Amino acid sequence: MVARVIPVETFDLVIFGATGDLARRKILPGLYRRWKEGQIPEGAAIIGAARSEMTREQFRAQVSEALEEFVAPQELTPEVVASFLAMIDYVTVDAKGDGGWDDLAARMRENVVRAFYLSVAPALFGDIAQRLHHRGIADRASRIVVEKPFGKDLKTAHALNADLAAHFHEDQIYRIDHYLGKETVQNLMAVRFANILFEPLWNSQFVDHVQITVAETVGVGGRGEYYDNSGAMRDMVQNHMMQLLCLIAMEPPHCFEPDAMRDEKLKVIRALDPMGPGDFVRGQYRGAGGDDYLLEAGNPDSRTESFVAMKLHISNWRWKGTPFYLRTGKRMKSRVSEIAVTFKEPPHSIFGESNQWRENVLVIRLQPDEGMDLRVMIKEPGPGGMRLKDVALDMSFAEALGNDLDMPDAYERLIMDVIRGNQTLFMRGDEVEAAWAWVDPVIQGWEARGDRPEPYDPGSTGPEGALMLMHKDGRRWREIR
Ligand code: NAP
């Protein structure tokens, strides 16, 4: 099955930080793939902007190298690459100075969608927003895209919001969380709100608990210094995991419009109970040689967590009494992102005590192999009488929808949404601030107590304490294989 591609409007997209890592690895390769699929119309312009002095030809050569490195060889054809490069321009601009802005203004065209992707350090967001506005390069219809991290606490997030709001309206601001661009995340909304099957059971009366796992095999590597000032709570929980939690727990919005969705997500964050000291476990991978967090972070006394597991409660009518367990970590056994909704036992078993009952679990897999499975009880085949076993109704999206379904990467989808002017999959300023308002006291508590994270072996499933967090509730984490 080949997905239908609807071209977007003609646009001018300026990428600030076009010579940086994110632009090379994700943004430019993603745009190439959309161009190849016919979603970007003839006449669109992509303008790279950074401080480095470079001609347009030199920048095109850099882009060409990035495509060679980050696009699958079978997707690269010389004619398509050549036509893509022909769309690309470059301007030398200093976000903090005067140089280059007139040049940029001169390259922008009238009557096309204007989007500005700020793939630069957040400290530059305000400078760029101000110059775009004052020099008339951005107008009321323009869109501005900003990358994470959106602040390191409520205060800094609030300041970033204020910097942007001084020159752009909220309906022009696109705060990227690439998790929201994943196919499965959107499918989660389809599963919940396009089927009658699940929603009647989607509450504390029928759901025993929910688990959200984001496990990575990579360590902090070259980002050690940056990561050590952040940690798993800021890097993963405040944004990606909180967004997944919101999509699972939110009330059905009255329509699939950006603000209707975001209003409901915000209510979830505001209904989160504060966490107590027994509700979380922090970990740090400690191993020999290069596998050691402290070495990679370059900080022998670091108390930053590379793993965190926690138990959350949502105080509203739907969820009161159903715990949500979240865990995320680096250098873990395998790369897994999934959400598992575990349902309660049936009120009575007619099959007797010899049949061990297993929970019904709906698993939504984000990676690897995006898909869903639902564990249900059936009769074990054969003459052995009425013996039950649990099996998975398993659907891999790649298999179910065809291997040739060309699923766009999250960045591709989100950039096309920016051009379409659709903010549904982007975080609103108040959502981000509410998430920080919940996270801040937790981190402040750790810092005030001087908590040390519990060590765990690289390649493991995290520290012992994380297992205990669930064991003491009579539950267990799903296996990370
Ligand atoms: P990077 O590799 O350090 O690139 C930074 C870019 O900003 C370069 O193109 C740099 O080019 C430009 N720049 C720096 N100072 C500038 C100035 N004063 N005026 C104009 N341009 C300036 O960073 P990155 O990894 O691409 O990350 C960019 C942003 O995305 C950051 O906010 C990061 O947190 C976020 N992010 C990155 C990733 C990732 O995987 N890399 C993932 C998620 C979020 P010049 O030196 O030539 O000016």
Side-chain angles (χ1 to χ4, degrees), residues 141-163:
S142 304
R143 287 143 210 182
I144 188 159
V145 184
V146 292
E147 265 297 336
K148 77 167 224 185
F150 201 83
K152 67 184 301 267
D153 52 23
L154 177 58
K155 194 167 156 233
T156 48
H158 187 71
L160 284 177
N161 273 336
D163 282 349

Short mmCIF file of all heavy atoms in Angstrom, two decimals, residues 141-163:
data_model
loop_
_atom_site.label_atom_id
_atom_site.label_comp_id
_atom_site.label_asym_id
_atom_site.label_seq_id
_atom_site.Cartn_x
_atom_site.Cartn_y
_atom_site.Cartn_z
N ALA A 141 1.93 36.07 9.37
CA ALA A 141 1.60 34.73 8.85
C ALA A 141 2.79 33.76 8.96
O ALA A 141 2.64 32.57 8.70
CB ALA A 141 1.17 34.84 7.39
N SER A 142 3.97 34.27 9.34
CA SER A 142 5.16 33.41 9.38
C SER A 142 5.09 32.42 10.54
O SER A 142 4.37 32.64 11.50
CB SER A 142 6.42 34.25 9.55
OG SER A 142 6.51 35.20 8.55
N ARG A 143 5.88 31.35 10.41
CA ARG A 143 5.93 30.35 11.48
C ARG A 143 7.37 30.21 11.97
O ARG A 143 8.29 30.30 11.18
CB ARG A 143 5.48 29.00 10.92
CG ARG A 143 3.98 29.02 10.69
CD ARG A 143 3.56 28.27 9.46
NE ARG A 143 2.36 28.90 8.93
CZ ARG A 143 1.69 28.48 7.88
NH1 ARG A 143 2.11 27.42 7.21
NH2 ARG A 143 0.62 29.10 7.46
N ILE A 144 7.50 29.99 13.27
CA ILE A 144 8.83 29.83 13.84
C ILE A 144 8.87 28.49 14.57
O ILE A 144 7.96 28.16 15.34
CB ILE A 144 9.19 31.04 14.74
CG1 ILE A 144 10.64 30.99 15.17
CG2 ILE A 144 8.28 31.17 15.95
CD1 ILE A 144 11.18 32.35 15.59
N VAL A 145 9.91 27.71 14.29
CA VAL A 145 10.02 26.36 14.86
C VAL A 145 11.18 26.36 15.84
O VAL A 145 12.27 26.82 15.47
CB VAL A 145 10.32 25.33 13.75
CG1 VAL A 145 10.34 23.92 14.31
CG2 VAL A 145 9.34 25.46 12.60
N VAL A 146 10.97 25.86 17.04
CA VAL A 146 12.07 25.83 18.00
C VAL A 146 12.31 24.41 18.50
O VAL A 146 11.39 23.62 18.64
CB VAL A 146 11.86 26.80 19.20
CG1 VAL A 146 11.94 28.23 18.74
CG2 VAL A 146 10.57 26.52 19.93
N GLU A 147 13.58 24.13 18.75
CA GLU A 147 14.01 22.80 19.15
C GLU A 147 14.06 22.67 20.67
O GLU A 147 14.05 23.65 21.39
CB GLU A 147 15.42 22.56 18.60
CG GLU A 147 15.45 21.82 17.28
CD GLU A 147 14.86 20.42 17.39
OE1 GLU A 147 14.86 19.85 18.49
OE2 GLU A 147 14.41 19.89 16.36
N LYS A 148 14.15 21.45 21.12
CA LYS A 148 14.38 21.22 22.54
C LYS A 148 15.87 21.40 22.84
O LYS A 148 16.67 21.29 21.91
CB LYS A 148 13.90 19.84 22.95
CG LYS A 148 14.82 18.70 22.54
CD LYS A 148 14.45 17.42 23.24
CE LYS A 148 15.67 16.72 23.75
NZ LYS A 148 15.49 15.43 24.35
N PRO A 149 16.35 21.64 24.01
CA PRO A 149 15.55 21.71 25.23
C PRO A 149 14.85 23.07 25.37
O PRO A 149 15.46 24.10 25.13
CB PRO A 149 16.60 21.55 26.33
CG PRO A 149 17.85 22.11 25.74
CD PRO A 149 17.79 21.84 24.28
N PHE A 150 13.55 23.00 25.72
CA PHE A 150 12.83 24.25 25.92
C PHE A 150 12.93 24.61 27.41
O PHE A 150 12.04 24.37 28.20
CB PHE A 150 11.38 24.12 25.45
CG PHE A 150 10.78 25.47 25.17
CD1 PHE A 150 10.99 26.11 23.95
CD2 PHE A 150 10.05 26.13 26.15
CE1 PHE A 150 10.48 27.37 23.70
CE2 PHE A 150 9.53 27.40 25.90
CZ PHE A 150 9.74 28.01 24.69
N GLY A 151 14.07 25.15 27.76
CA GLY A 151 14.32 25.52 29.15
C GLY A 151 14.91 24.37 29.94
O GLY A 151 14.92 23.23 29.48
N LYS A 152 15.42 24.70 31.15
CA LYS A 152 15.91 23.65 32.05
C LYS A 152 15.11 23.63 33.35
O LYS A 152 15.32 22.81 34.23
CB LYS A 152 17.42 23.75 32.31
CG LYS A 152 17.85 24.98 33.08
CD LYS A 152 19.37 25.02 33.19
CE LYS A 152 19.96 23.81 33.87
NZ LYS A 152 20.15 23.93 35.31
N ASP A 153 14.18 24.57 33.44
CA ASP A 153 13.24 24.60 34.57
C ASP A 153 12.12 25.58 34.19
O ASP A 153 12.14 26.15 33.09
CB ASP A 153 13.93 25.01 35.87
CG ASP A 153 14.72 26.30 35.72
OD1 ASP A 153 14.39 27.08 34.80
OD2 ASP A 153 15.66 26.53 36.49
N LEU A 154 11.19 25.76 35.10
CA LEU A 154 10.05 26.63 34.78
C LEU A 154 10.50 28.05 34.46
O LEU A 154 10.01 28.69 33.53
CB LEU A 154 9.06 26.62 35.95
CG LEU A 154 7.85 27.53 35.81
CD1 LEU A 154 7.05 27.20 34.56
CD2 LEU A 154 6.94 27.44 37.05
N LYS A 155 11.46 28.53 35.25
CA LYS A 155 11.89 29.92 35.07
C LYS A 155 12.48 30.15 33.66
O LYS A 155 12.12 31.11 32.97
CB LYS A 155 12.94 30.22 36.15
CG LYS A 155 13.23 31.67 36.31
CD LYS A 155 14.01 31.90 37.61
CE LYS A 155 14.77 33.19 37.47
NZ LYS A 155 16.17 33.08 37.74
N THR A 156 13.38 29.27 33.26
CA THR A 156 14.01 29.46 31.95
C THR A 156 13.01 29.20 30.81
O THR A 156 13.07 29.87 29.78
CB THR A 156 15.24 28.53 31.80
OG1 THR A 156 14.86 27.22 32.21
CG2 THR A 156 16.41 28.98 32.65
N ALA A 157 12.10 28.25 30.99
CA ALA A 157 11.09 27.99 29.95
C ALA A 157 10.18 29.21 29.82
O ALA A 157 9.81 29.62 28.71
CB ALA A 157 10.27 26.75 30.31
N HIS A 158 9.84 29.80 30.95
CA HIS A 158 8.98 30.97 30.94
C HIS A 158 9.69 32.12 30.21
O HIS A 158 9.08 32.84 29.42
CB HIS A 158 8.66 31.35 32.39
CG HIS A 158 7.66 32.44 32.49
ND1 HIS A 158 6.33 32.26 32.18
CD2 HIS A 158 7.79 33.75 32.82
CE1 HIS A 158 5.69 33.39 32.33
NE2 HIS A 158 6.55 34.32 32.71
N ALA A 159 10.99 32.26 30.47
CA ALA A 159 11.75 33.33 29.81
C ALA A 159 11.81 33.09 28.30
O ALA A 159 11.66 34.03 27.51
CB ALA A 159 13.16 33.41 30.41
N LEU A 160 12.00 31.83 27.88
CA LEU A 160 12.02 31.54 26.43
C LEU A 160 10.66 31.84 25.81
O LEU A 160 10.57 32.43 24.73
CB LEU A 160 12.36 30.06 26.18
CG LEU A 160 13.81 29.64 26.35
CD1 LEU A 160 13.96 28.13 26.14
CD2 LEU A 160 14.72 30.38 25.38
N ASN A 161 9.60 31.44 26.51
CA ASN A 161 8.26 31.74 26.00
C ASN A 161 8.07 33.25 25.85
O ASN A 161 7.52 33.72 24.86
CB ASN A 161 7.18 31.19 26.96
CG ASN A 161 6.84 29.74 26.63
OD1 ASN A 161 7.03 29.28 25.51
ND2 ASN A 161 6.34 29.02 27.62
N ALA A 162 8.56 34.00 26.84
CA ALA A 162 8.39 35.45 26.80
C ALA A 162 9.20 36.05 25.63
O ALA A 162 8.72 36.93 24.91
CB ALA A 162 8.83 36.07 28.13
N ASP A 163 10.42 35.53 25.41
CA ASP A 163 11.25 36.01 24.29
C ASP A 163 10.55 35.81 22.96
O ASP A 163 10.61 36.65 22.07
CB ASP A 163 12.57 35.22 24.23
CG ASP A 163 13.56 35.70 25.28
OD1 ASP A 163 13.31 36.75 25.90
OD2 ASP A 163 14.58 35.00 25.48
#
